[in-house]
Amino acid sequence: MALDETVPLADDTKINIEGAKFDKSKDAVHVDVGQKMIGLTKEELEHFKNDPCWKRIRLFLFALFWLLWAAMFIGAILIVVLSPKCAEKQQPKWWQTKVSYQVLTPTFYDSKGDGVGTIEGITQKIDLLRKIGVTTVYPSPVLTVQKDDFFDAQAVIDHEHVDPRFGTNDDLKKLIEAAHDRDMYVVLDMPLTSVSKDHPWMQNLSLKNDDAFIWKTVTEGNTLPLGFYDAPSRGGAKYLGYPDAAHPVLNWKSDKVKNYIMGAIRNLIELGVDGFNLDHVSRLAVDADGVSQPHEALQKLAEITADIRAFQKSKPELAEKEIVLFSSMQDMEDEMHARVIDSKDLMYTINNIFARITPVNCGMYIAKCVHDQLTAAADRFEFGSGFTPFWQFSNAQKSRLASRFDADTANLLTFTQLTLPGAMSLYYGQELGVKDGVGATGSIPQAGVMQWEPKGDDHHGFSKFAGKLFFAETEGGDGASDNFESQYAEENSPLKVYQKLAKLRQRDEVMIIGKMKRDVVKGNVVVFSRYVPAEDPEAAAGAAYVVVLNFGAEEAAIDLNSLGAGVLPKGKTLNAAEITAVTPGVTGLRARDKYDLSATALKVPGKQGILLRV
């Protein structure tokens, strides 16, 4: 109803409305309700507009607003500037996080059906390698080696071309491109200091090739130093070989040698290779008797490194690329290794001591053997110091883990390798627990063919070649589970445990850059922790991991709380320890389950391991 409407009323209606008027002639009430103003009118406000007192109040409030705003702004800046800075997050290099996978090219996968593995075969399997956590593919050999040898990467007869039995330079380029498309890397062997005795230079000795090698002539009454061997075409002159007569040592004082090797390295860098194993660097400089001269050898290594870096800078597309250079500790004395760490000319050196341990040289106490080797490694360099340790537990020179030890111990050693600080190289088939191959001519046992599928007519899925292979095939397994296909379908197989830990090493900062809290050995049990140090280096900046390894045959009850500061980072407790991973033989413990181990012993079955997050 509008406010000016008339309202008809019944005769007996009584009204009591302020402002209402009764119109007797129309028998109606007129209601006139006026609008009531709240506050001051415009005319009333105009009265205060130019009032001196109110002008001052308005000016004061205006100034106060901007002063408060400026004070808050300055305060915010001071908080940012004066607050304690957070520790800068360490950004690891790609090679510090890598899980390298060493492939013996001729026995990995045959893509042509002639019984010999190929570079193309590696490319065809690269997606499977990526699925299980491999980040770096390390095929060996790749460069052309002498015709009677398929596996010796040091027996090179041509540094510039891929061995034609394995493929072509174009095949290598395709492998590298496939790896890069998947955020993976490819590294190769680059023999610096020796070649095959069948190298063209050695087969065609002349004045122009003589200075490529190191010679010594025996004079009457003198004894020939060790390491020198006959060269029939040179009369009484002997050449230096390392590690044996089959590998003549190159003379790095020769421009011919330097230009040849450095030219090969540059070509491979342009092809896309991400790194090189520069093995036997101790022989870059030797004296007249063929004895290594570490100081001069490292000077030569520095020149090689500088040459590679200069070449990169000359190519805009390569200038920012991180090319990794590494070698092996097997021919370095401790003094030389210490200098390598200081010089930074190598990013890491392969620690292959674990590739040589056996039940014979370890005796009954494998735990002590493992503990001693970890201690020796820690003495060479501080874990987490910036020089990356690199672990190799199996390789082409020694028997496989699963043949040196029983299956459970072999799996436990692989579990150990995957939880150590630094980078690592896995030897193909180690993730499956594959044993040495037997029963074929011309093959070394540890170079047996890769087992992709259950045993059948296609040689475990390696090749469609009909008949007996030149290379060994693994025997003694059950044929149903000792292969990639079967283990990938099984929940807690050796392959699946490897996959879990390999991927953990890529995504978890603790496993990538964390240091090791010195290991403890208790009878047959080894325990160590991994953590990223806080401001207090004995405390963890975040979560930590505890690795428990029982190398004994019987179950062990481990009171982790009693180990205290010997293993646990400062401030960490065990009241909510979470299971992260276990070896294949552990049952009853599931990933992500939490346990209060502050007052309860952790029971670890014989020859099994457990990774805890605390």
Side-chain angles (χ1 to χ4, degrees), residues 546 560-562 568 572-577 595-598 612 614:
V546 177
L560 294 174
N561 201 54
S562 68
L568 286 180
K572 287 297 177 184
T573 64
L574 295 160
N575 58 342
Y595 298 87
D596 183 357
L597 300 175
S598 59
L612 300 167
V614 296

Side-chain angles (χ1 to χ4, degrees), residues 59-69:
L59 184 61
F60 171 76
L61 292 174
F62 180 78
L64 181 62
F65 168 79
W66 286 109
L67 283 172
L68 290 173
W69 186 91

Side-chain angles (χ1 to χ4, degrees), residues 29-282:
V29 175
H30 295 276
V31 180
D32 184 11
V33 181
Q35 242 182 352
K36 192 168 182 178
M37 295 292 297
I38 300 175
L40 301 176
T41 64
K42 182 178 179 181
E43 291 77 11
E44 289 173 325
L45 286 172
E46 286 289 336
H47 174 72
F48 297 99
K49 179 178 178 181
N50 297 314
D51 185 283
C53 177
W54 284 107
K55 274 189 175 182
R56 286 194 293 272
I57 291 173
R58 289 198 302 275
L59 184 61
F60 171 76
L61 292 174
F62 180 78
L64 181 62
F65 168 79
W66 286 109
L67 283 172
L68 290 173
W69 186 91
M72 288 188 293
F73 181 73
I74 294 171
I77 293 175
L78 290 174
I79 289 172
V80 173
V81 172
L82 300 178
S83 294
K85 290 183 172 61
C86 297
E88 187 175 346
K89 196 177 184 69
Q90 300 180 58
Q91 296 298 326
K93 308 293 186 182
W94 69 263
W95 43 268
Q96 289 177 310
T97 67
K98 80 174 189 173
V99 177
S100 182
Y101 191 85
Q102 186 177 15
V103 170
L104 282 194
T105 308
T107 55
F108 190 64
Y109 184 64
D110 171 18
S111 63
K112 297 185 297 183
D114 62 358
V116 178
T118 60
I119 301 291
E120 182 185 4
I122 301 172
T123 304
Q124 290 181 14
K125 295 295 186 181
I126 198 167
D127 281 323
L128 291 180
L129 296 182
R130 183 173 180 270
K131 279 184 179 180
I132 63 171
V134 170
T135 59
T136 301
V137 181
Y138 178 8
S140 178
V142 168
L143 303 179
T144 307
V145 295
Q146 66 102 359
K147 63 183 178 60
D148 294 327
D149 201 321
F150 281 94
F151 304 116
D152 185 0
Q154 302 296 316
V156 180
I157 61 173
D158 182 357
H159 280 73
E160 297 177 323
H161 297 93
V162 167
D163 194 308
R165 294 172 296 182
F166 310 149
T168 64
N169 284 26
D170 190 52
D171 289 332
L172 178 59
K173 184 176 182 180
K174 289 177 181 177
L175 170 62
I176 294 168
E177 290 173 346
H180 291 174
D181 287 344
R182 293 158 176 79
D183 294 325
M184 297 170 72
Y185 302 87
V186 176
V187 299
L188 303 179
D189 294 305
M190 175 48 65
L192 289 178
T193 58
S194 64
V195 292
S196 167
K197 66 179 181 179
D198 294 320
H199 192 281
W201 291 352
M202 199 69 182
Q203 294 297 304
N204 300 286
L205 289 172
S206 63
L207 289 177
K208 69 176 184 177
N209 287 335
D210 275 359
D211 72 341
F213 303 101
I214 297 170
W215 301 94
K216 192 173 183 68
T217 302
V218 181
T219 57
E220 188 175 350
N222 290 336
T223 302
L224 185 70
L226 293 175
F228 283 87
Y229 304 94
D230 286 326
S233 62
R234 282 291 306 268
K238 316 288 183 180
Y239 68 90
L240 178 64
Y242 184 82
D244 52 35
H247 302 85
V249 173
L250 294 171
N251 175 21
W252 268 84
K253 292 180 180 178
S254 165
D255 287 339
K256 178 185 181 72
V257 169
K258 178 180 178 180
N259 293 336
Y260 172 64
I261 299 293
M262 295 312 301
I265 291 175
R266 293 188 195 106
N267 289 341
L268 289 169
I269 289 175
E270 289 198 287
L271 208 61
V273 174
D274 301 294
F276 300 96
N277 177 14
L278 309 177
D279 215 356
H280 300 163
V281 295
S282 65

